[in-house]
Amino acid sequence: MKINPRVSEKIAKGLIWSAALSVLAVLVGIIIFILAKGLPIINWSFLTEIPRNMGRSGGVASPIVGTLFVAAVAVVLAVPFGIGTAFYLAEYTRENAVTRIIRFSAESLAGIPSIVYGLFGFIFFVIYLDLGWSVLSGGLTLAFMILPTVIRTSEEAIRAVPDTYREVSFSLGGTKWQTIRKAVFPSAIQGITNGVILGLGRCVAETAAVILTAGTALRMPASIFSPTRTMAIHFFILAREGISMDNAYGTAALLIILIFFINVVANALVNRFVAKGR
Amino acid sequence: MDDTAREPRRDVKLKTQSVNLHYGDFHALGDITFDIPSCAITAIIGPSGCGKSTLLRIFNRMNDLIPGCRVEGGVFLNGSDIYDKDADVVALRQKVGMVFQKPNIFPMSVYDNLIIGPRHHGVKSKQALAEIAERSLTLVALWDEVKDSLHKPGLGLAVGQQQRLCIARALAVEPEVILFDESCSALDPESTMKIEELMLDLAQKYTIIIVTHNMEQAARISDMAAFMMIDGQKVGRLHEYSPTSDMFISPKDKLTEDYITGRFG
Ligand SMILES: Nc1ncnc2c1ncn2[C@@H]1O[C@H](COP(=O)(O)OP(=O)(O)OP(=O)(O)O)[C@@H](O)[C@H]1O
Ligand SMILES: [Mg+2]
């Protein structure tokens, strides 16, 4: 049977649209569900008090601080190395054995389940380097986990910068480094930031890799050597051990808001400082 | 190589001596020897793929960026070999500016586009940069049009204005030579005319080399014309080089004649 191309076009369009719409509906549904359950729990004391009674009462101030602390350590470590590697791969070398090894490692690392990073971090940072369960162990582990993402997205963003930009800069007598800083970087920053935000989002939401490295301590972390508990771990424990479903939803809703907030702020920063004139 | 020692003729700005260029195994330019006069417009013409851009990019060593590209022979600017081991590529590109086919404005403000070059060369003072910006915009007759929108996106300008901005950007580093690679091919006739007038103007002070597919343009504005052609091995060669009026009135041979009268190409 031969279908009229105009009909098949309509059918294809319909199917593609409904696929996209149902995915959107499920995503929005989940978010609305969690916000509906969680938002009523959130109030000033929930935000400012540390958990009491294992989290049955009190707030989530220390998990909030722990989350930001661990994620900040991870990002501060992963971003310079990740972006540096990406520029090395995209601008300073042609394909050779070294770049192939780096790329192969990065791709393999990207495919490893996070629990494996957790195990590695536990054995290497927590025990071998004797950093204990701490913000630092957690941050280091997450840094390794997001490094491949940062490298890959940054490299793609750098490669997407049109060659004409480099040509113009060189033709005006720019050196390689000036060209990278003034012509390539400003155009790649949007994509690089997206990669960093993606990595930051994964840090903030990660459980398996941090539970084994940062610990589950409820007190406020005093330094990067203190153990802590992130929000994701907090509501994981609250829910799994049946401590308080309400507080679990409250924490989850906060996490969603936090991730949303990170995205908005990062984009605003990029627009404010780098992308002006676009 | 006693050419380096010999005092160049006063009016020769650029000179090539038996230049051969290879892209890997591909022999793209064969035995190119010619002199480019100072403060004049030299047009490089020829059919697509004959090596015009390749030849143009020899003069500011843009071919260096292409992996596997080799240049043999001598290329002299003001008498000194720009491919010498000790030659400074950055200084060369400051002296030999380039304007490309498409107006390739950075996604930044008009002003930031203009000062990229001076910044590369270490000009820091706000005052100096602002003066450079005004002077180069004035040179391309764009100052009055954009002086109130210096800090608006350069991409917001009309295409013809963008191309003039690109010329201003090249002028901002105070070059001696400016290379134009089909810089009017993306423009409407009116903007093309403005740029041609501008080139004639600039040729009072700068040495200008253009690549163009537009025979009328070559005839209208150039003083010298270089007609390139590929030989049987696809090697780009300089087939005829003479004053433009000579070439267009009495071409050396049938091949040149057929090309400039539009019978092929
Ligand atoms: N980067 C490169 N690597 C390999 N070969 C190249 C490269 N650039 C150009 N060539 C080849 O060199 C020859 C000359 O190219 P060039 O771009 O100089 O021609 P052109 O005269 O400027 O052509 P057009 O009028 O289409 O712009 C062509 O055969 C082209 O395929
Ligand atoms: Mg060309």
Side-chain angles (χ1 to χ4, degrees):
Chain A
M1 179 187 74
K2 236 189 155 143
I3 306 178
N4 177 333
R6 225 172 299 153
V7 176
S8 63
E9 167 71 20
K10 282 231 169 71
I11 295 174
K13 212 170 181 178
L15 287 174
I16 288 167
W17 265 93
S18 42
L21 278 182
S22 30
V23 169
L24 192 68
V26 170
L27 282 177
V28 171
I30 292 174
I31 290 174
I32 289 180
F33 178 77
I34 291 171
L35 290 181
K37 292 257 194 184
L39 285 181
I41 310 296
I42 301 173
N43 55 32
W44 186 243
S45 57
F46 190 72
L47 292 174
T48 52
E49 286 173 18
I50 65 167
R52 269 174 288 129
N53 206 352
M54 295 308 288
R56 225 164 255 114
S57 55
V60 291
S62 50
I64 292 176
V65 172
T67 305
L68 296 177
F69 216 0
V70 171
V73 169
V75 167
V76 163
L77 291 171
V79 163
F81 285 101
I83 296 180
T85 308
F87 271 104
Y88 173 76
L89 288 175
E91 297 282 340
Y92 279 94
T93 54
R94 258 169 265 141
E95 281 305 303
N96 60 28
V98 180
T99 60
R100 272 195 293 276
I101 290 170
I102 295 179
R103 218 171 263 119
F104 177 76
S105 322
E107 260 151 39
S108 315
L109 285 174
I112 293 177
S114 57
I115 185 75
V116 177
Y117 283 95
L119 208 58
F120 161 76
F122 178 68
I123 294 166
F124 189 67
F125 299 123
V126 176
I127 295 175
Y128 182 74
L129 296 183
D130 201 18
L131 297 171
W133 279 319
S134 62
V135 172
L136 185 58
S137 299
L140 280 164
T141 308
L142 289 183
F144 275 92
M145 188 182 84
I146 65 169
L147 199 55
T149 313
V150 176
I151 293 175
R152 196 168 40 188
T153 49
S154 303
E155 193 189 344
E156 269 163 26
I158 294 164
R159 285 193 191 280
V161 176
D163 262 339
T164 55
Y165 289 12
R166 297 180 181 85
E167 283 192 330
V168 170
S169 172
F170 282 122
S171 80
L172 291 166
T175 60
K176 182 107 196 172
W177 174 236
Q178 288 172 326
T179 299
I180 288 177
R181 263 190 48 202
K182 295 278 159 64
V184 179
F185 189 72
S187 302
I189 182 71
Q190 189 87 55
I192 291 175
T193 313
N194 286 345
V196 172
I197 293 172
L198 210 66
L200 187 56
R202 281 184 66 198
C203 287
V204 167
E206 181 54 35
T207 48
V210 254
I211 203 166
L212 288 167
T213 52
T216 55
L218 282 168
R219 4 175 246 287
M220 198 53 100
S223 76
I224 53 173
F225 301 106
S226 318
T228 191
R229 161 188 294 206
T230 66
M231 287 156 78
I233 295 174
H234 186 58
F235 73 68
F236 168 71
I237 291 174
L238 290 186
R240 198 182 67 130
E241 307 194 348
I243 296 169
S244 161
M245 278 319 271
D246 280 352
N247 285 350
Y249 278 122
T251 316
L254 259 187
L255 194 62
I256 288 176
I257 295 169
L258 179 66
I259 290 175
F260 179 74
F261 187 70
I262 288 172
N263 273 293
V264 171
V265 169
N267 274 317
L269 284 179
V270 169
N271 287 333
R272 173 96 176 65
F273 290 109
V274 201
K276 64 177 174 189
R278 217 163 283 238
Chain B
M1 286 269 159
D2 52 353
D3 289 83
T4 27
R6 205 168 63 203
E7 185 66 20
R9 263 174 43 217
R10 260 189 97 65
D11 55 347
V12 174
K13 188 74 186 176
L14 279 158
K15 176 186 186 67
T16 69
Q17 186 80 54
S18 314
V19 166
N20 282 277
L21 182 143
H22 294 258
Y23 288 120
D25 297 333
F26 177 61
H27 191 181
L29 294 180
D31 200 26
I32 308 264
T33 302
F34 72 139
D35 291 354
I36 290 168
S38 150
C39 296
I41 301 181
T42 300
I44 302 174
I45 57 174
S48 203
C50 67
K52 302 180 295 297
S53 302
T54 306
L55 178 57
L56 196 69
R57 283 160 177 255
I58 278 184
F59 297 123
N60 62 347
R61 291 187 59 173
M62 283 304 266
N63 294 319
D64 288 14
L65 305 175
I66 298 167
C69 176
R70 290 194 328 277
V71 179
E72 290 145 13
V75 184
F76 305 89
L77 172 68
N78 301 325
S80 52
D81 189 349
I82 62 172
Y83 279 89
D84 192 81
K85 284 188 299 301
D86 304 323
D88 180 351
V89 187
V90 166
L92 168 72
R93 293 190 184 135
Q94 188 259 308
K95 289 195 200 120
V96 184
M98 185 163 215
V99 178
F100 299 82
Q101 181 165 9
K102 295 226 176 72
N104 37 23
I105 297 291
F106 287 107
M108 316 170 184
S109 70
V110 170
Y111 182 77
D112 286 335
N113 266 285
L114 275 169
I115 62 173
I116 295 171
R119 276 239 186 96
H120 280 349
H121 298 288
V123 182
K124 292 224 173 62
S125 118
K126 278 234 162 83
Q127 164 102 37
L129 289 169
E131 277 166 18
I132 291 172
E134 173 166 359
R135 200 198 39 194
S136 8
L137 285 173
T138 310
L139 277 172
V140 301
L142 202 55
W143 176 249
D144 288 331
E145 288 164 56
V146 303
K147 64 169 184 261
D148 299 320
S149 47
L150 283 180
H151 297 283
K152 300 218 179 101
L155 289 169
L157 300 177
V159 191
Q161 292 178 316
Q162 287 187 21
Q163 194 62 306
R164 275 188 284 153
L165 178 56
C166 290
I167 300 174
R169 184 171 64 186
L171 289 170
V173 299
E174 301 190 39
E176 299 167 17
V177 181
I178 312 172
L179 314 171
F180 292 86
D181 194 348
E182 296 187 46
S183 305
C184 295
S185 62
L187 305 182
D188 58 273
E190 196 188 327
S191 315
T192 301
M193 219 174 68
K194 277 194 183 153
I195 301 234
E196 286 182 9
E197 277 164 19
L198 177 58
M199 286 174 177
L200 286 169
D201 223 27
L202 293 173
Q204 311 281 323
K205 204 173 151 232
Y206 302 88
T207 300
I208 291 181
I209 311 178
I210 65 171
V211 166
T212 181
H213 276 282
N214 180 338
M215 286 311 105
E216 279 120 51
Q217 179 172 66
R220 269 195 304 265
I221 65 170
S222 71
D223 303 290
M224 296 294 292
F227 171 51
M228 294 183 68
M229 198 51 217
I230 49 170
D231 66 12
Q233 273 76 51
K234 299 227 154 57
V235 183
R237 301 205 178 258
L238 188 56
H239 183 77
E240 176 172 354
Y241 181 52
S242 37
T244 308
S245 48
D246 293 1
M247 184 185 286
F248 279 79
I249 294 167
S250 54
K252 180 180 95 172
D253 60 14
K254 185 98 174 52
L255 190 66
T256 311
E257 184 181 344
D258 284 353
Y259 183 73
I260 58 182
T261 53
R263 244 163 272 169
F264 76 98

